[in-house]
Amino acid sequence: VMLRNLPDGFTRQALLELLDSQGFGCKYDFAYLPVDFDNLQGLNHACVNFVTYEDAQCFSDMLEGFSGWETQSDRVLTVAWNEKQQGLAALVERYRNSPVMHESVPATCKPVIVTGGRLAQFPPPTQKIKAPKILRGKAN
């Protein structure tokens, strides 16, 4: 699912804590909060893959309209189905060779695979990964 309208300054860690605190620990296997590579700040949306359709539907039903953020924010969460990629395998294939997985990108800005509530190793790339455009000058 896609989470939209996340608060400014929201991080991947805050995303994982939100999922876990709302009772969805061990019910998701992938999470990604894209960042602006210019300043490494979250882009106010995220992608989460739930283990089952029922878990995803329950999350959507429970958190659509959520506004109980840990930090001061007037933003109201919207939840939508991810029309582009469905399932862990598709998401891994989408991101494993993506510039976001380049070594110059901080680990906290990368997508994660979660197994049994713990971060798991992301499969290695199958091709050479280019640094994100904004980081290319910093990567050398």
Side-chain angles (χ1 to χ4, degrees), residues 81-140:
W81 295 107
N82 183 348
E83 301 296 332
K84 293 183 180 180
Q85 285 94 24
Q86 288 286 322
L88 179 60
L91 291 163
V92 166
E93 285 309 306
R94 162 69 181 92
Y95 289 104
R96 74 188 310 174
N97 295 313
S98 169
V100 74
M101 299 305 286
H102 190 268
E103 62 189 22
S104 65
V105 175
T108 56
C109 298
K110 296 179 179 184
V112 291
I113 293 175
V114 182
T115 303
R118 296 178 169 239
L119 297 185
Q121 185 71 34
F122 211 93
T126 58
Q127 61 193 38
K128 183 175 170 63
I129 298 176
K130 292 181 181 178
K133 291 178 184 174
I134 196 75
L135 296 178
R136 284 189 187 152
K138 299 175 188 176
N140 295 331

Side-chain angles (χ1 to χ4, degrees), residues 3 21-22 36 44-45 53 60 62 68 85 97 120 127:
L3 286 63
S21 72
Q22 297 299 311
D36 177 344
N44 304 105
H45 64 275
Y53 170 82
S60 180
M62 279 184 61
Q85 285 94 24
N97 295 313
Q127 61 193 38

Side-chain angles (χ1 to χ4, degrees), residues 13 26 36 58 78 81:
Q13 185 59 38
C26 298
D36 177 344
C58 183
T78 60
W81 295 107

